[in-house]
Amino acid sequence: MGWHHEPLTGFDLETTGTDIERDRIVTAALVRLEPDGSAAPGRTWLLDPGVPIPDGATAIHGISTEQARERGRAAAEGVGEIVEAVADVLRAGRPLAVMNARYDLSLLDRECLRHGVAPLSARLGRAPGPVIDPLVLDKHADRYRKGKRTLEALCAHYGVRLTGAHEAGADAMAAAEVALRIGEKHTDLGVLDLRALHDLQIRAAAEQAESFQRFLRRTSDPRAYVEPAWPLIPAQRAAAAPVPSVPSVSPEPSVPPDPSQP
C-alpha cells in the first residue's frame, strides 16, 4: 500500500522570524490527515514568545505582540507541550510531515534549550524520525522544475487546496496533503518503507545543500555556506558554522532561505 495510504501527522510553526538560533515560536499546530483525506481533531498552540513580534512577521501570520501577550501561553510551558506532543507521534512510529523540516524542528530544538525543556532527541533517545519533508522530496523527485517551492507553490503544483496560508493548522494540513500527493505521483518514493524514505531524505537534503552552496560560491559569494543536516541542525554545529550568505527567497517567517537547485 505504501506510507501515503496511512495516516500522516502534519506539523507547522509560525515564528518571529527566520533565524533558528534567535527567533521564537508564536503558534504551532499538529494535525492528523486520515487516508481518506479527512482531518482528525488536531492541537494548536499560541505562545507569548517573550520578545516583541516584528511587524513583518505579524503581517504574515497575523499575530501581534499584544495578542500574544494577552492570549498566549508562557513560552516554556507551551514549548514543553509542543515537543512532547511531537515526541508522542514519533514514539508511535507514525510519520511527521513537516514542510522544510530542518527549520521547524531545529527552531523547536533551540526553544527547548532556551527554556530548559528536554528536546525532542532526548525524549526519543534517538534522532527525530520518521519525518516526511515535502520540500526535500519534491526537489529530489522533480529537480529541474522551474519556479518557487514555497508551500503555496507546492500546493498549486500538486492540486492541494490551501486556505488560511500562514495559519499553523492550515499549513500543517497542507504539508501532510502535499506529502501524500508526492507519494501518489512519484511511485518510486511511495513504495519505500518509512525508514528508507527518511534515510533517502537525509542524503537528498545534503546533496541539495551542496549543489546550492556550489552555485552561490560560483555566482555571488565564494564563502557561502548552506547547512546540509536534515531534519535537525545540531546546535553545536550551527554555533560553529559560518554565517550563511544565502539570499532570502520568501518573506515567510516559517520558511527560511530556500536552498533550491539553481
Side-chain angles (χ1 to χ4, degrees):
M1 291 289 289
W3 55 265
H4 55 292
H5 294 293
E6 300 295 332
L8 290 176
T9 299
F11 178 60
D12 184 71
L13 300 177
E14 297 296 328
T15 64
T16 60
T18 61
D19 187 329
I20 64 167
E21 303 299 331
R22 198 174 52 195
D23 284 303
R24 313 292 180 90
I25 297 170
V26 178
T27 62
L30 274 173
V31 298
R32 180 177 164 115
L33 177 66
E34 300 295 341
D36 63 2
S38 63
R43 297 186 66 180
T44 60
W45 293 264
L46 170 62
L47 274 55
D48 175 2
V51 298
I53 300 173
D55 291 342
T58 297
I60 298 295
H61 53 59
I63 306 298
S64 68
T65 301
E66 292 72 23
Q67 290 172 315
R69 287 174 177 170
E70 290 175 6
R71 307 201 309 265
R73 303 276 298 280
E77 180 183 4
V79 167
E81 283 193 6
I82 293 165
V83 70
E84 181 60 19
V86 172
D88 280 345
V89 173
L90 298 179
R91 285 191 194 106
R94 300 195 303 271
L96 189 73
V98 193
M99 175 70 181
N100 202 359
R102 62 157 54 100
Y103 175 74
D104 288 62
L105 295 183
S106 298
L107 192 144
L108 176 60
D109 178 78
R110 304 312 191 267
E111 282 278 63
C112 289
L113 297 177
R114 179 177 293 119
H115 296 291
V117 172
L120 186 57
S121 296
R123 291 168 189 261
L124 296 173
R126 56 177 172 81
V131 174
I132 300 176
D133 188 336
L135 179 61
V136 172
L137 287 181
D138 178 66
K139 289 179 183 178
H140 174 76
D142 200 353
R143 176 177 180 180
Y144 297 107
R145 188 178 77 249
K146 301 296 184 182
K148 294 183 177 181
R149 298 188 195 247
T150 61
L151 182 58
E152 290 95 329
L154 294 191
C155 284
H157 180 73
Y158 287 100
V160 171
R161 184 179 180 184
L162 175 59
T163 57
H166 308 301
E167 188 278 319
D171 284 2
M173 178 57 68
E177 291 191 65
V178 170
L180 184 150
R181 298 292 175 84
I182 290 173
E184 291 175 342
K185 180 175 181 178
H186 300 288
T187 55
D188 58 325
L189 299 176
V191 298
L192 295 176
D193 64 42
L194 288 172
R195 176 62 182 271
L197 183 70
H198 186 91
D199 289 347
L200 179 147
Q201 290 171 97
I202 292 174
R203 297 190 300 272
E207 291 166 359
Q208 291 160 13
E210 182 182 9
S211 176
F212 190 43
Q213 180 173 286
R214 287 198 306 267
F215 171 75
L216 290 174
R217 290 184 175 184
R218 185 175 70 246
T219 61
S220 60
D221 182 356
R223 297 184 300 169
Y225 174 79
V226 180
E227 172 58 54
W230 180 96
L232 176 65
I233 301 172
Q236 291 181 341
R237 180 187 302 180
V243 177
S245 54
V246 180
S248 176
V249 297
S250 170
E252 301 173 12
S254 61
V255 180
D258 176 9
S260 298
Q261 296 290 342

